[in-house]
Coordinates of all heavy atoms in Angstrom, one line a residue:
M1 N -79.3 49.3 -149.2 CA -79.1 48.4 -148.1 C -78.4 49.1 -146.9 O -77.4 49.7 -147.1 CB -78.4 47.2 -148.5 CG -78.4 46.1 -147.5 SD -80.0 45.3 -147.4 CE -79.6 43.7 -147.6
L2 N -79.1 49.1 -145.7 CA -78.5 49.7 -144.6 C -77.4 48.8 -143.9 O -77.5 47.6 -143.9 CB -79.6 50.0 -143.6 CG -80.6 51.1 -143.9 CD1 -81.7 51.1 -142.9 CD2 -79.9 52.4 -144.1
L3 N -76.4 49.5 -143.4 CA -75.4 48.7 -142.6 C -76.0 48.3 -141.3 O -77.0 48.9 -140.8 CB -74.2 49.6 -142.4 CG -73.4 50.0 -143.7 CD1 -72.3 50.9 -143.3 CD2 -72.9 48.8 -144.4
E4 N -75.4 47.4 -140.6 CA -75.9 46.9 -139.3 C -75.9 48.0 -138.3 O -76.8 48.2 -137.5 CB -75.1 45.7 -138.8 CG -75.6 45.0 -137.7 CD -76.9 44.2 -138.0 OE1 -77.1 43.8 -139.2 OE2 -77.7 44.1 -137.1
A5 N -74.8 48.9 -138.3 CA -74.7 50.0 -137.3 C -75.8 51.0 -137.6 O -76.4 51.6 -136.7 CB -73.3 50.6 -137.4
D6 N -76.1 51.2 -138.9 CA -77.2 52.2 -139.2 C -78.6 51.7 -138.7 O -79.4 52.5 -138.2 CB -77.3 52.4 -140.7 CG -76.1 53.1 -141.2 OD1 -75.4 53.8 -140.4 OD2 -75.8 53.0 -142.4
V7 N -78.8 50.4 -138.8 CA -80.1 49.8 -138.3 C -80.2 50.1 -136.8 O -81.3 50.4 -136.3 CB -80.1 48.3 -138.7 CG1 -81.3 47.7 -138.0 CG2 -80.2 48.2 -140.2
H8 N -79.1 49.8 -136.1 CA -79.2 50.0 -134.6 C -79.5 51.5 -134.3 O -80.2 51.8 -133.3 CB -77.9 49.6 -134.0 CG -77.7 48.1 -134.0 ND1 -78.6 47.2 -133.4 CD2 -76.8 47.3 -134.6 CE1 -78.2 46.0 -133.6 NE2 -77.1 46.0 -134.3
L9 N -78.9 52.4 -135.0 CA -79.1 53.8 -134.8 C -80.6 54.2 -135.0 O -81.2 54.9 -134.3 CB -78.2 54.7 -135.6 CG -76.7 54.7 -135.2 CD1 -75.9 55.5 -136.2 CD2 -76.5 55.2 -133.8
Y10 N -81.1 53.7 -136.1 CA -82.5 54.0 -136.5 C -83.5 53.3 -135.4 O -84.5 53.9 -135.1 CB -82.9 53.5 -137.9 CG -82.4 54.4 -139.0 CD1 -81.5 53.9 -139.9 CD2 -82.8 55.7 -139.0 CE1 -81.0 54.7 -140.9 CE2 -82.3 56.5 -140.0 CZ -81.4 56.0 -141.0 OH -81.0 56.9 -142.0
L11 N -83.1 52.1 -135.0 CA -83.9 51.5 -133.9 C -83.9 52.3 -132.6 O -84.9 52.4 -131.9 CB -83.5 50.1 -133.8 CG -83.9 49.1 -134.9 CD1 -83.4 47.7 -134.6 CD2 -85.4 49.1 -135.2
F12 N -82.7 52.8 -132.3 CA -82.6 53.6 -131.1 C -83.4 54.9 -131.2 O -84.1 55.3 -130.3 CB -81.1 54.0 -130.8 CG -80.9 54.8 -129.6 CD1 -81.1 54.3 -128.3 CD2 -80.6 56.2 -129.7 CE1 -80.9 55.1 -127.2 CE2 -80.5 57.0 -128.6 CZ -80.6 56.4 -127.4
L13 N -83.4 55.5 -132.4 CA -84.2 56.7 -132.6 C -85.7 56.4 -132.5 O -86.4 57.1 -131.9 CB -83.9 57.3 -134.0 CG -84.7 58.5 -134.4 CD1 -84.4 59.7 -133.5 CD2 -84.4 58.9 -135.8
S14 N -86.1 55.2 -133.1 CA -87.5 54.8 -133.0 C -87.9 54.6 -131.6 O -89.0 54.9 -131.1 CB -87.7 53.6 -133.8 OG -89.0 53.1 -133.7
F15 N -87.0 53.9 -130.8 CA -87.3 53.7 -129.4 C -87.4 55.0 -128.6 O -88.3 55.1 -127.7 CB -86.3 52.7 -128.7 CG -86.5 52.5 -127.3 CD1 -87.5 51.7 -126.9 CD2 -85.7 53.1 -126.3 CE1 -87.8 51.5 -125.5 CE2 -85.9 52.9 -125.0 CZ -87.0 52.1 -124.6
S16 N -86.6 55.9 -128.9 CA -86.6 57.2 -128.3 C -87.9 57.9 -128.6 O -88.5 58.5 -127.7 CB -85.4 58.1 -128.7 OG -84.2 57.5 -128.4
L17 N -88.3 57.9 -129.8 CA -89.6 58.5 -130.2 C -90.8 57.8 -129.4 O -91.7 58.5 -129.0 CB -89.9 58.4 -131.7 CG -89.2 59.4 -132.6 CD1 -89.4 59.0 -134.0 CD2 -89.7 60.8 -132.3
L18 N -90.7 56.5 -129.3 CA -91.7 55.8 -128.6 C -91.8 56.1 -127.2 O -92.8 56.4 -126.6 CB -91.5 54.3 -128.8 CG -92.5 53.4 -128.1 CD1 -93.9 53.4 -128.8 CD2 -92.0 52.0 -128.0
A19 N -90.6 56.2 -126.5 CA -90.5 56.6 -125.1 C -91.1 58.0 -124.8 O -91.8 58.2 -123.9 CB -89.1 56.4 -124.6
V20 N -90.7 58.9 -125.7 CA -91.2 60.3 -125.5 C -92.7 60.4 -125.7 O -93.4 61.0 -125.0 CB -90.4 61.3 -126.4 CG1 -91.1 62.6 -126.5 CG2 -89.0 61.4 -126.0
G21 N -93.2 59.6 -126.7 CA -94.6 59.6 -127.0 C -95.4 59.0 -125.8 O -96.5 59.5 -125.4
V22 N -94.9 57.9 -125.3 CA -95.6 57.2 -124.1 C -95.6 58.1 -122.9 O -96.6 58.3 -122.2 CB -95.0 55.8 -123.8 CG1 -95.5 55.3 -122.5 CG2 -95.3 54.9 -125.0
Y23 N -94.5 58.8 -122.7 CA -94.4 59.7 -121.6 C -95.4 60.9 -121.8 O -96.1 61.3 -120.8 CB -93.0 60.3 -121.4 CG -92.9 61.4 -120.4 CD1 -93.0 61.1 -119.0 CD2 -92.8 62.7 -120.7 CE1 -93.0 62.1 -118.1 CE2 -92.8 63.7 -119.8 CZ -92.9 63.4 -118.4 OH -92.8 64.4 -117.5
G24 N -95.5 61.4 -123.0 CA -96.5 62.4 -123.3 C -97.9 62.0 -123.0 O -98.7 62.8 -122.6
L25 N -98.2 60.8 -123.4 CA -99.5 60.2 -123.1 C -99.8 60.0 -121.6 O -100.9 60.3 -121.2 CB -99.7 58.9 -123.9 CG -100.0 59.0 -125.4 CD1 -100.0 57.6 -126.0 CD2 -101.3 59.7 -125.6
L26 N -98.9 59.6 -120.9 CA -99.1 59.3 -119.5 C -99.1 60.6 -118.6 O -99.6 60.6 -117.5 CB -98.0 58.3 -119.0 CG -98.1 56.9 -119.6 CD1 -97.0 56.1 -119.0 CD2 -99.4 56.3 -119.3
S27 N -98.4 61.6 -119.1 CA -98.4 62.8 -118.3 C -99.7 63.6 -118.2 O -100.0 64.2 -117.2 CB -97.3 63.8 -118.7 OG -97.6 64.3 -120.0
R28 N -100.5 63.5 -119.3 CA -101.8 64.1 -119.4 C -101.9 65.5 -118.9 O -102.8 65.9 -118.2 CB -102.8 63.2 -118.6 CG -102.9 61.8 -119.1 CD -104.0 61.1 -118.4 NE -105.3 61.8 -118.8 CZ -106.5 61.3 -118.6 NH1 -106.6 60.2 -118.0 NH2 -107.5 62.0 -119.0
K29 N -101.0 66.4 -119.4 CA -101.0 67.8 -119.0 C -101.9 68.6 -119.9 O -102.5 69.6 -119.5 CB -99.6 68.4 -119.0 CG -98.8 67.8 -117.9 CD -97.4 68.4 -117.9 CE -96.6 67.8 -116.8 NZ -95.3 68.4 -116.7
S30 N -102.0 68.3 -121.2 CA -102.7 69.0 -122.2 C -103.2 68.1 -123.3 O -102.5 67.1 -123.6 CB -101.9 70.2 -122.7 OG -102.1 70.4 -124.1
V31 N -104.4 68.4 -123.8 CA -104.9 67.5 -124.9 C -104.1 67.6 -126.2 O -103.8 66.6 -126.8 CB -106.4 67.9 -125.2 CG1 -106.9 67.1 -126.3 CG2 -107.2 67.7 -123.9
I32 N -103.6 68.8 -126.5 CA -102.8 69.0 -127.7 C -101.5 68.2 -127.5 O -101.0 67.6 -128.5 CB -102.5 70.5 -127.9 CG1 -103.8 71.2 -128.1 CG2 -101.6 70.7 -129.1 CD1 -104.6 70.8 -129.3
R33 N -100.9 68.3 -126.3 CA -99.7 67.5 -126.1 C -99.9 66.0 -126.2 O -99.0 65.3 -126.7 CB -99.1 67.8 -124.7 CG -97.8 67.2 -124.4 CD -97.3 67.6 -123.1 NE -96.9 69.1 -123.1 CZ -96.5 69.7 -122.0 NH1 -96.4 69.1 -120.9 NH2 -96.2 71.0 -122.1
M34 N -101.1 65.6 -125.8 CA -101.4 64.1 -125.9 C -101.6 63.8 -127.4 O -101.1 62.7 -127.8 CB -102.7 63.8 -125.2 CG -102.5 63.9 -123.7 SD -104.0 63.8 -122.7 CE -104.6 62.2 -123.1
L35 N -102.1 64.7 -128.2 CA -102.2 64.4 -129.7 C -100.8 64.3 -130.3 O -100.6 63.4 -131.2 CB -103.1 65.5 -130.4 CG -104.6 65.4 -130.1 CD1 -105.2 66.6 -130.8 CD2 -105.1 64.1 -130.7
F36 N -99.9 65.2 -129.9 CA -98.6 65.1 -130.4 C -97.9 63.9 -130.0 O -97.1 63.3 -130.7 CB -97.8 66.4 -130.0 CG -98.0 67.6 -130.8 CD1 -98.3 68.8 -130.1 CD2 -98.0 67.6 -132.1 CE1 -98.5 69.9 -130.8 CE2 -98.3 68.7 -132.9 CZ -98.5 69.9 -132.2
A37 N -98.2 63.4 -128.8 CA -97.6 62.2 -128.3 C -98.0 61.0 -129.1 O -97.2 60.1 -129.4 CB -97.9 62.0 -126.8
V38 N -99.3 61.0 -129.5 CA -99.8 59.9 -130.3 C -99.1 59.9 -131.7 O -98.7 58.9 -132.2 CB -101.3 60.0 -130.4 CG1 -101.8 59.0 -131.5 CG2 -102.0 59.7 -129.1
E39 N -98.9 61.1 -132.2 CA -98.2 61.2 -133.5 C -96.8 60.7 -133.4 O -96.3 60.1 -134.3 CB -98.2 62.7 -133.9 CG -99.5 63.2 -134.3 CD -100.1 62.6 -135.6 OE1 -99.3 62.2 -136.5 OE2 -101.3 62.5 -135.7
M40 N -96.1 61.0 -132.2 CA -94.7 60.4 -132.1 C -94.7 58.9 -132.0 O -93.8 58.3 -132.6 CB -94.1 61.0 -130.8 CG -93.7 62.4 -130.9 SD -92.8 62.9 -129.4 CE -92.3 64.5 -129.8
V41 N -95.7 58.3 -131.4 CA -95.8 56.9 -131.3 C -96.0 56.3 -132.7 O -95.3 55.3 -133.1 CB -96.9 56.4 -130.3 CG1 -97.1 54.9 -130.4 CG2 -96.5 56.8 -128.9
I42 N -96.9 56.9 -133.5 CA -97.1 56.5 -134.9 C -95.9 56.6 -135.7 O -95.5 55.8 -136.5 CB -98.3 57.2 -135.5 CG1 -99.6 56.8 -134.7 CG2 -98.5 56.9 -136.9 CD1 -100.8 57.6 -135.1
N43 N -95.1 57.7 -135.5 CA -93.9 58.0 -136.3 C -92.8 56.9 -135.9 O -92.0 56.5 -136.8 CB -93.4 59.4 -136.1 CG -94.2 60.4 -136.9 OD1 -94.8 60.0 -137.9 ND2 -94.3 61.6 -136.4
A44 N -92.8 56.5 -134.7 CA -91.8 55.5 -134.3 C -92.2 54.2 -135.0 O -91.3 53.5 -135.5 CB -91.9 55.3 -132.7
A45 N -93.4 53.8 -135.1 CA -93.8 52.6 -135.8 C -93.5 52.8 -137.3 O -93.0 51.8 -137.9 CB -95.3 52.4 -135.6
N46 N -93.7 53.9 -137.9 CA -93.4 54.2 -139.3 C -91.9 54.0 -139.5 O -91.4 53.4 -140.6 CB -93.8 55.5 -139.7 CG -95.3 55.6 -139.9 OD1 -96.0 54.6 -140.1 ND2 -95.8 56.9 -139.9
L47 N -91.1 54.5 -138.6 CA -89.6 54.4 -138.8 C -89.2 52.9 -138.7 O -88.3 52.5 -139.5 CB -88.9 55.2 -137.7 CG -87.4 55.3 -137.8 CD1 -87.0 55.9 -139.1 CD2 -86.9 56.1 -136.6
N48 N -89.8 52.2 -137.8 CA -89.5 50.7 -137.7 C -89.9 50.0 -139.0 O -89.1 49.2 -139.5 CB -90.2 50.1 -136.6 CG -89.4 50.2 -135.3 OD1 -88.2 50.3 -135.3 ND2 -90.1 50.1 -134.2
L49 N -91.1 50.3 -139.5 CA -91.5 49.7 -140.8 C -90.5 50.0 -141.9 O -90.2 49.1 -142.7 CB -92.9 50.2 -141.2 CG -94.0 49.6 -140.4 CD1 -95.3 50.3 -140.7 CD2 -94.2 48.1 -140.7
A50 N -90.1 51.2 -142.0 CA -89.2 51.6 -143.1 C -87.8 51.0 -143.0 O -87.3 50.5 -144.0 CB -89.0 53.1 -143.2
V51 N -87.3 50.9 -141.8 CA -86.0 50.3 -141.6 C -86.0 48.8 -141.9 O -85.2 48.3 -142.6 CB -85.5 50.6 -140.1 CG1 -84.3 49.7 -139.8 CG2 -85.1 52.0 -140.0
F52 N -87.0 48.1 -141.3 CA -87.1 46.7 -141.5 C -87.4 46.3 -143.0 O -87.0 45.3 -143.5 CB -88.0 46.0 -140.6 CG -87.5 46.0 -139.2 CD1 -88.2 46.5 -138.1 CD2 -86.2 45.4 -138.9 CE1 -87.7 46.4 -136.8 CE2 -85.7 45.3 -137.6 CZ -86.5 45.8 -136.6
S53 N -88.2 47.2 -143.7 CA -88.5 46.9 -145.1 C -87.2 47.0 -145.9 O -87.0 46.3 -146.9 CB -89.6 47.7 -145.6 OG -89.2 49.1 -145.7
S54 N -86.4 48.0 -145.6 CA -85.1 48.1 -146.4 C -84.2 47.0 -146.1 O -83.3 46.6 -146.9 CB -84.5 49.5 -146.1 OG -84.0 49.5 -144.8
Q55 N -84.3 46.4 -144.9 CA -83.4 45.4 -144.5 C -83.8 44.0 -145.1 O -83.0 43.2 -145.5 CB -83.3 45.3 -143.0 CG -82.1 44.6 -142.4 CD -80.8 45.3 -142.6 OE1 -80.8 46.4 -143.0 NE2 -79.8 44.6 -142.3
R56 N -85.1 43.8 -145.1 CA -85.6 42.4 -145.5 C -86.3 42.4 -146.9 O -86.8 41.4 -147.2 CB -86.6 42.0 -144.4 CG -86.2 42.0 -143.0 CD -85.3 40.8 -142.8 NE -84.9 40.8 -141.4 CZ -83.7 40.4 -140.9 NH1 -82.8 40.1 -141.8 NH2 -83.5 40.4 -139.7
N57 N -86.2 43.5 -147.6 CA -86.8 43.6 -148.9 C -88.3 43.2 -148.9 O -88.8 42.5 -149.7 CB -86.1 42.7 -149.9 CG -84.7 43.1 -150.2 OD1 -84.4 44.3 -150.1 ND2 -83.8 42.2 -150.4
V58 N -89.0 43.8 -147.9 CA -90.5 43.7 -147.8 C -91.1 45.0 -148.2 O -90.5 46.0 -148.2 CB -90.8 43.3 -146.3 CG1 -92.3 43.0 -146.2 CG2 -90.0 42.1 -145.9
N59 N -92.4 45.0 -148.5 CA -93.1 46.2 -148.9 C -93.5 47.0 -147.6 O -94.7 47.3 -147.5 CB -94.2 45.9 -149.8 CG -93.8 45.3 -151.1 OD1 -92.7 45.6 -151.5 ND2 -94.6 44.4 -151.7
G60 N -92.7 47.3 -146.8 CA -93.0 48.1 -145.6 C -93.3 49.5 -145.9 O -94.0 50.2 -145.1
E61 N -92.8 50.1 -147.0 CA -93.1 51.4 -147.4 C -94.6 51.6 -147.6 O -95.2 52.7 -147.3 CB -92.3 51.9 -148.6 CG -90.9 52.0 -148.4 CD -90.1 50.7 -148.6 OE1 -90.7 49.7 -149.0 OE2 -88.9 50.7 -148.4
I62 N -95.3 50.6 -148.1 CA -96.7 50.7 -148.4 C -97.5 50.8 -147.1 O -98.4 51.7 -146.9 CB -97.2 49.5 -149.2 CG1 -96.5 49.5 -150.6 CG2 -98.7 49.5 -149.3 CD1 -96.7 48.2 -151.3
F63 N -97.1 50.1 -146.1 CA -97.7 50.2 -144.8 C -97.4 51.5 -144.1 O -98.2 52.1 -143.4 CB -97.2 49.0 -143.9 CG -97.7 47.7 -144.3 CD1 -96.8 46.7 -144.7 CD2 -99.1 47.4 -144.4 CE1 -97.2 45.5 -145.1 CE2 -99.5 46.1 -144.8 CZ -98.6 45.2 -145.1
T64 N -96.2 52.0 -144.4 CA -95.8 53.3 -143.8 C -96.7 54.4 -144.4 O -97.2 55.3 -143.7 CB -94.3 53.6 -144.1 OG1 -93.5 52.6 -143.5 CG2 -93.9 54.9 -143.5
F65 N -96.9 54.4 -145.7 CA -97.8 55.4 -146.3 C -99.2 55.3 -145.8 O -99.9 56.3 -145.6 CB -97.8 55.3 -147.8 CG -96.5 55.7 -148.5 CD1 -95.9 55.0 -149.5 CD2 -95.8 56.9 -148.0 CE1 -94.7 55.4 -150.1 CE2 -94.7 57.3 -148.6 CZ -94.1 56.6 -149.6
F66 N -99.7 54.1 -145.6 CA -101.0 53.8 -145.0 C -101.1 54.4 -143.6 O -102.1 55.1 -143.3 CB -101.3 52.4 -145.0 CG -102.7 52.0 -144.5 CD1 -103.8 52.4 -145.2 CD2 -102.8 51.4 -143.3 CE1 -105.1 52.0 -144.8 CE2 -104.1 51.1 -142.8 CZ -105.2 51.4 -143.6
T67 N -100.1 54.2 -142.8 CA -100.2 54.7 -141.4 C -100.0 56.2 -141.4 O -100.5 56.9 -140.5 CB -99.1 54.0 -140.5 OG1 -97.8 54.2 -141.1 CG2 -99.4 52.6 -140.3
I68 N -99.3 56.8 -142.4 CA -99.2 58.3 -142.4 C -100.5 58.8 -142.7 O -101.0 59.9 -142.1 CB -98.1 58.7 -143.5 CG1 -96.7 58.4 -143.0 CG2 -98.3 60.2 -143.8 CD1 -95.6 58.6 -144.0
G69 N -101.3 58.2 -143.6 CA -102.7 58.6 -143.9 C -103.6 58.5 -142.6 O -104.4 59.4 -142.4
L70 N -103.4 57.4 -141.9 CA -104.2 57.2 -140.7 C -103.8 58.3 -139.6 O -104.7 58.7 -138.9 CB -104.0 55.8 -140.1 CG -104.7 54.7 -140.9 CD1 -104.4 53.4 -140.3 CD2 -106.2 54.9 -140.9
A71 N -102.5 58.6 -139.6 CA -102.1 59.6 -138.6 C -102.7 61.0 -138.9 O -103.1 61.7 -138.0 CB -100.6 59.7 -138.6
A72 N -102.8 61.3 -140.2 CA -103.4 62.6 -140.6 C -104.8 62.6 -140.3 O -105.4 63.6 -139.8 CB -103.2 62.8 -142.1
L73 N -105.5 61.5 -140.5 CA -106.9 61.4 -140.1 C -107.1 61.5 -138.6 O -108.0 62.2 -138.2 CB -107.5 60.0 -140.6 CG -108.9 59.7 -140.3 CD1 -109.8 60.7 -141.1 CD2 -109.3 58.3 -140.6
E74 N -106.3 60.9 -137.9 CA -106.3 60.9 -136.4 C -106.1 62.3 -135.9 O -106.8 62.8 -135.0 CB -105.3 60.0 -135.8 CG -105.2 60.1 -134.3 CD -104.0 61.0 -133.9 OE1 -103.0 61.1 -134.6 OE2 -104.2 61.5 -132.8
A75 N -105.2 63.1 -136.5 CA -104.9 64.5 -136.1 C -106.1 65.3 -136.4 O -106.5 66.2 -135.6 CB -103.7 65.0 -136.8
A76 N -106.7 65.1 -137.6 CA -107.9 66.0 -138.0 C -109.1 65.7 -137.0 O -109.7 66.6 -136.5 CB -108.3 65.7 -139.4
V77 N -109.4 64.4 -136.7 CA -110.5 64.1 -135.8 C -110.2 64.6 -134.4 O -111.1 65.1 -133.7 CB -110.8 62.6 -135.9 CG1 -111.8 62.2 -134.8 CG2 -111.3 62.2 -137.3
G78 N -109.0 64.4 -134.0 CA -108.6 64.8 -132.6 C -108.7 66.3 -132.4 O -109.2 66.8 -131.4
L79 N -108.2 67.1 -133.4 CA -108.4 68.5 -133.3 C -109.8 69.0 -133.4 O -110.2 70.0 -132.8 CB -107.5 69.2 -134.4 CG -106.0 69.2 -134.2 CD1 -105.3 69.7 -135.4 CD2 -105.6 69.9 -132.9
A80 N -110.6 68.3 -134.2 CA -112.0 68.6 -134.3 C -112.7 68.4 -132.9 O -113.5 69.2 -132.5 CB -112.7 67.8 -135.3
I81 N -112.4 67.3 -132.2 CA -112.9 67.1 -130.9 C -112.5 68.1 -129.9 O -113.2 68.6 -129.1 CB -112.5 65.7 -130.4 CG1 -113.3 64.6 -131.2 CG2 -112.8 65.5 -128.9 CD1 -112.8 63.2 -131.0
V82 N -111.2 68.5 -130.0 CA -110.7 69.6 -129.1 C -111.5 70.9 -129.4 O -111.8 71.6 -128.4 CB -109.2 69.8 -129.3 CG1 -108.7 71.1 -128.7 CG2 -108.4 68.6 -128.8
I83 N -111.7 71.2 -130.6 CA -112.4 72.5 -130.9 C -113.9 72.4 -130.4 O -114.3 73.4 -129.8 CB -112.4 72.7 -132.5 CG1 -111.0 73.1 -132.9 CG2 -113.4 73.8 -132.8 CD1 -110.8 73.2 -134.4
V84 N -114.5 71.3 -130.6 CA -115.9 71.2 -130.0 C -115.9 71.3 -128.5 O -116.7 71.9 -127.9 CB -116.5 69.8 -130.5 CG1 -117.8 69.5 -129.7 CG2 -116.8 69.9 -132.0
F85 N -114.9 70.6 -127.9 CA -114.8 70.7 -126.4 C -114.6 72.1 -125.9 O -115.2 72.6 -125.0 CB -113.7 69.8 -126.0 CG -113.7 69.5 -124.5 CD1 -114.6 68.6 -124.0 CD2 -112.8 70.2 -123.6 CE1 -114.6 68.3 -122.6 CE2 -112.8 69.9 -122.3 CZ -113.7 69.0 -121.8
Y86 N -113.7 72.9 -126.7 CA -113.4 74.2 -126.3 C -114.7 75.1 -126.5 O -115.0 76.0 -125.6 CB -112.3 74.8 -127.1 CG -111.9 76.2 -126.6 CD1 -111.2 76.4 -125.5 CD2 -112.2 77.3 -127.4 CE1 -110.8 77.7 -125.1 CE2 -111.9 78.6 -127.0 CZ -111.2 78.8 -125.9 OH -110.9 80.0 -125.5
K87 N -115.4 74.9 -127.6 CA -116.6 75.8 -127.8 C -117.7 75.5 -126.8 O -118.4 76.4 -126.4 CB -117.1 75.5 -129.2 CG -116.4 76.2 -130.3 CD -117.0 75.9 -131.6 CE -116.3 76.6 -132.7 NZ -116.9 76.4 -134.0
R88 N -117.8 74.2 -126.3 CA -118.8 73.9 -125.4 C -118.5 74.3 -124.0 O -119.4 74.8 -123.2 CB -119.1 72.4 -125.5 CG -120.2 72.0 -124.5 CD -120.6 70.5 -124.7 NE -121.3 70.3 -125.9 CZ -121.8 69.1 -126.3 NH1 -121.5 68.1 -125.5 NH2 -122.5 69.0 -127.4
F89 N -117.3 74.1 -123.5 CA -116.9 74.3 -122.1 C -116.0 75.5 -121.9 O -115.8 75.8 -120.7 CB -116.3 73.0 -121.5 CG -117.3 71.9 -121.6 CD1 -117.1 70.8 -122.5 CD2 -118.4 71.8 -120.8 CE1 -117.9 69.8 -122.5 CE2 -119.3 70.8 -120.8 CZ -119.0 69.7 -121.7
G90 N -115.4 76.0 -122.9 CA -114.5 77.2 -122.7 C -113.1 76.9 -122.3 O -112.3 77.8 -122.2
E91 N -112.8 75.6 -122.1 CA -111.4 75.2 -121.7 C -111.2 73.8 -122.1 O -112.2 73.1 -122.3 CB -111.2 75.4 -120.2 CG -112.1 74.6 -119.3 CD -111.9 74.8 -117.9 OE1 -111.0 75.6 -117.5 OE2 -112.6 74.2 -117.1
V92 N -110.0 73.4 -122.2 CA -109.6 72.1 -122.6 C -108.7 71.5 -121.6 O -107.5 71.8 -121.6 CB -109.0 72.0 -124.0 CG1 -108.7 70.6 -124.4 CG2 -109.8 72.7 -125.1
I93 N -109.3 70.7 -120.7 CA -108.5 70.0 -119.6 C -108.8 68.5 -119.8 O -109.9 68.1 -119.8 CB -109.0 70.5 -118.3 CG1 -108.7 72.0 -118.2 CG2 -108.2 69.8 -117.2 CD1 -109.2 72.7 -116.9
P94 N -107.7 67.7 -119.9 CA -107.9 66.3 -120.1 C -108.7 65.6 -119.0 O -109.4 64.6 -119.3 CB -106.4 65.7 -120.1 CG -105.6 66.9 -120.4 CD -106.3 68.1 -119.9
S95 N -108.7 66.0 -117.8 CA -109.4 65.4 -116.8 C -110.9 65.6 -116.9 O -111.7 64.8 -116.3 CB -109.0 65.8 -115.4 OG -109.2 67.2 -115.3
K96 N -111.4 66.6 -117.7 CA -112.8 66.8 -117.9 C -113.3 66.3 -119.3 O -114.4 66.7 -119.7 CB -113.0 68.3 -117.8 CG -112.8 68.9 -116.4 CD -113.2 70.3 -116.4 CE -112.9 70.9 -115.0 NZ -113.3 72.3 -114.9
I97 N -112.6 65.5 -119.9 CA -113.0 65.0 -121.2 C -114.2 64.1 -121.1 O -115.0 64.0 -122.0 CB -111.8 64.1 -121.9 CG1 -110.6 65.1 -122.2 CG2 -112.3 63.4 -123.1 CD1 -110.9 66.0 -123.3
R98 N -114.5 63.5 -120.0 CA -115.7 62.7 -119.8 C -117.0 63.5 -120.0 O -118.0 62.9 -120.1 CB -115.6 62.0 -118.4 CG -114.5 61.0 -118.4 CD -114.6 60.3 -117.1 NE -113.5 59.3 -117.1 CZ -113.2 58.6 -116.1 NH1 -113.9 58.6 -115.0 NH2 -112.1 57.7 -116.2
N99 N -116.9 64.8 -120.0 CA -118.1 65.6 -120.1 C -118.7 65.5 -121.6 O -119.7 66.1 -121.8 CB -117.8 67.1 -119.8 CG -117.5 67.3 -118.3 OD1 -117.9 66.5 -117.5 ND2 -116.8 68.3 -118.0
L100 N -117.9 65.0 -122.5 CA -118.4 64.8 -123.9 C -119.4 63.7 -124.0 O -120.0 63.6 -125.1 CB -117.3 64.7 -124.8 CG -116.5 65.9 -125.2 CD1 -115.4 65.5 -126.1 CD2 -117.4 66.9 -125.8
R101 N -119.6 62.9 -123.0 CA -120.6 61.8 -123.1 C -122.0 62.4 -123.1 O -122.3 63.5 -122.7 CB -120.4 60.9 -121.9 CG -119.1 60.1 -122.0 CD -119.1 59.1 -120.8 NE -117.8 58.5 -120.8 CZ -117.3 57.7 -119.9 NH1 -118.1 57.5 -118.8 NH2 -116.2 57.2 -119.9
W102 N -122.9 61.6 -123.6 CA -124.3 62.0 -123.7 C -124.8 62.1 -122.3 O -125.5 62.6 -121.7 CB -125.2 61.0 -124.4 CG -124.7 60.9 -125.9 CD1 -123.9 59.9 -126.4 CD2 -125.1 61.8 -126.9 NE1 -123.7 60.2 -127.7 CE2 -124.4 61.3 -128.1 CE3 -125.9 62.9 -127.0 CZ2 -124.6 61.9 -129.3 CZ3 -126.0 63.5 -128.3 CH2 -125.3 63.0 -129.4

C-alpha cells in the first residue's frame, strides 16, 4: 500500500511524462521524436494505472500489461512506416508525411 505522499509523487511524475510527451507531439521536429513522445504518453497512462490499482485494489496491472503490449505494437508499426517512408523518399520530414497517401 502506497502512502498518500508517494501517490502524489507518482502522479506528479506521470503528469510530467504526459507534459513532455504532448510537447514532443506538438513540436513535430522529427518522426522518431514523435514516436518517443507517444511512448511517453502511454507510459504516463501506465504509471497512473499502476498507482491507482495499488491504492484501490483493482486489477490495473492487467491493463498496464495490455497497454505495454499495445505500445510495443505501435512502436513496431511506426518504425516500419518510417522505414518505408525513408526508402521511398530518401528523407523523413513530418510535414511531408501526406505523401504516403495513394
Side-chain angles (χ1 to χ4, degrees):
M1 189 71 128
L2 291 173
L3 299 174
E4 191 69 28
D6 293 338
V7 171
H8 291 297
L9 290 174
Y10 284 120
L11 291 178
F12 179 74
L13 177 63
S14 175
F15 177 74
S16 301
L17 279 172
L18 180 71
V20 169
V22 168
Y23 174 74
L25 282 173
L26 294 178
S27 66
R28 297 188 67 166
K29 292 184 179 181
S30 140
V31 177
I32 301 295
R33 187 177 292 177
M34 290 170 63
L35 285 174
F36 281 131
V38 170
E39 292 292 328
M40 284 186 177
V41 170
I42 292 172
N43 285 332
N46 286 339
L47 185 59
N48 273 336
L49 284 171
V51 167
F52 286 127
S53 71
S54 70
Q55 197 70 10
R56 305 282 184 219
N57 295 328
V58 184
N59 294 330
E61 290 91 2
I62 295 170
F63 294 117
T64 301
F65 289 137
F66 181 70
T67 56
I68 288 171
L70 287 177
L73 179 69
E74 174 264 332
V77 170
L79 287 175
I81 290 172
V82 167
I83 290 170
V84 166
F85 193 79
Y86 183 77
K87 282 184 179 180
R88 182 176 284 181
F89 300 108
E91 60 185 358
V92 181
I93 299 174
S95 61
K96 294 184 179 182
I97 294 292
R98 293 185 180 175
N99 291 340
L100 283 178
R101 292 184 184 170
W102 297 97

